[in-house]
Amino acid sequence: MSPDIPEQQWAQVYEKSGAALEAKQVPVRRPGPDEVLVNIKFSGVCHTDLNVWKGGFSAIGPSPVIGGHEGAGVVVAKGELVKDIEIGEQVGIKFLNRSCLSCEFCEDADEVGCLKGTYSGVTVDGCFQQYTIVQAAQVARIHKDIPLDSVAPVLCAGLTAYRALKECGARPGQTVAVVGAAGGLGSLAIQYAKAMGLQVIAVDSGDEKKQLCEKYGANTFVDFATSEDLAKDVKGTTADGLGPHAVLLIASNEKSINQGISYVRPRGTLITVGLPPGGVMHTPILPMVMKKITIKGSLVGNRRDMAEALDFVKRGLVECPVKIVGLSELPKVFELMEAGKIVGRYVLDTSK
């Protein structure tokens, strides 16, 4: 590797799920033939990172674990088979770190379903470090005019929100409810929905979160904490009182997820995105059948979705509200996240 690339780097590491996070130096790996080495400048912190750390995923890689899957940085080395990515190019590292590119799922542009796939921060080392390895085919190409600090959350939160909106099937002029609307993913979902011509009902709690949702274009805001009848209040925001055409269940809260069926309109769609640890969806069968409701899960998106999601950012239609702190402050960010006190998205500066 280049002499400018160090042998050691700083990372946030834990030995096993639930173990204490520790800032320590670890080796900088060398890229394989079809891989690139990315100098991570900024990394977003996703609720899934917290879930993985707390033991919410069973398929976790070998210890010690380095989490993170919203890494934005610069390519500093590449394998001999990588021809279309240049040293110095701005790229992003997503949740999907590698796929086989030849199975039924990969060939059908659903590579996140690849049974041989590896996942950043879960089964392979992620982005809570200064240098990360990724399959060249899976990097997100970030335009040189897009700031890396603000785009980092789009690599998961933005991609996930955008794909969920495509999955829900809502057409321009129709209404979607975004549950957990003031978080990093929710605030992006509002913006993508508005850019796609949709009306948005934001469901969250508190004046600060209401202001954020309205800033990013939500047509109405329903405070679940003060509402005495959430279903009635959400339906009441729609012109005909039938409720939204689709509900994006983004909050990592089992109760919120299970309430969605009570206010989605007949023939509407529930998209489940949030991943509460050990959560179970309790779906009453009668209203699901009688109202002809569709229930779907949505997990991030494919490479084309990523390119489209980044293009919205490049055109100035979507921005992510971020608060930047040092990599060393990851434990504090997890504390705030677990307490539900985060508005927008925290981004880690790996140089601090």
Side-chain angles (χ1 to χ4, degrees), residues 82 96 127 141 183 197 205 215 224 226 228 259 270 282 296 313 325 330 342:
V82 180
L96 182 65
C127 304
R141 315 294 281 268
S205 65
K215 173 185 175 181
F224 70 82
T226 60
E228 295 182 359
Q259 289 174 324
L270 298 176
H282 300 281
K296 302 172 71 175
V313 177
V325 298
L330 178 60
I342 290 180

Side-chain angles (χ1 to χ4, degrees), residues 1 5 7 9 27-31 35 37 124-125 131 133:
M1 289 195 295
I5 301 172
E7 294 293 324
Q9 61 169 325
V28 176
R29 291 175 50 213
R30 287 161 170 74
E35 296 175 329
L37 175 65
V124 295
D125 287 345
Y131 292 87
I133 295 287

